[in-house]
Amino acid sequence: MTGATGVTGPTAPNVTANYQYSSGAAFTTSTPAVFPLIGVTGDGTAITQNGNGTLTLAPNQAYMVDFSVDASIPPASTAGAFVSLNGTNVVGSGVTTFNSTAASQPTFLSSNAIVRTGGTAGTLALNVQGSQATQFGAPAFSVIKIA
């Protein structure tokens, strides 16, 4: 025997409805550069791959962005990675590390952030930078629409 069924509340959004996961070939840079992403998988219409390493995000949305990238940091130099929206660093998304040894050191850079678009679509990118020629590789870039 079962009791009376209660009132049904609102249906929660499906947070996995729109996502992109990207990877790319290794490359070397000493200046800020957009990581050339490839291998994108997506579902839905709130995220679109642009083909130049960037993604277009739908207007008036919130997204959870998560990334990781390997770096081979030369001696006495710095390497970092961050997410940008419309060419501007997303506050809190950056990670930087310094190699104080006499040999190149492999490291793993990862971070995440909440990104909100305004009334127009936004261009999202994974950016990397080394203070000297630094090799970056094995990126993972995931964007999930959360609202």
Side-chain angles (χ1 to χ4, degrees), residues 49-145:
Q49 181 186 14
N50 297 323
N52 60 358
T54 65
L55 303 172
T56 296
L57 305 180
N60 300 313
Q61 303 294 317
Y63 299 85
M64 177 64 186
V65 179
D66 185 65
F67 72 85
S68 63
V69 62
D70 291 340
S72 180
I73 308 172
S77 67
T78 303
F82 64 93
V83 173
S84 66
L85 182 64
N86 298 327
T88 301
N89 185 2
V90 174
V91 176
S93 73
V95 59
T96 303
T97 190
F98 178 73
N99 175 11
S100 61
T101 68
S104 289
Q105 293 294 315
T107 192
F108 181 74
L109 304 169
S110 70
S111 187
N112 57 55
I114 301 291
V115 174
R116 295 182 192 280
T117 55
T120 59
T123 302
L124 187 75
L126 172 59
N127 300 270
V128 293
Q129 177 178 358
S131 60
Q132 296 182 41
T134 302
Q135 182 177 7
F136 294 93
F141 190 48
S142 145
V143 182
I144 302 170
K145 182 174 100 62

Side-chain angles (χ1 to χ4, degrees), residues 33-53:
V34 172
F35 205 108
L37 299 170
I38 58 173
V40 178
T41 304
D43 181 26
T45 59
I47 303 168
T48 307
Q49 181 186 14
N50 297 323
N52 60 358

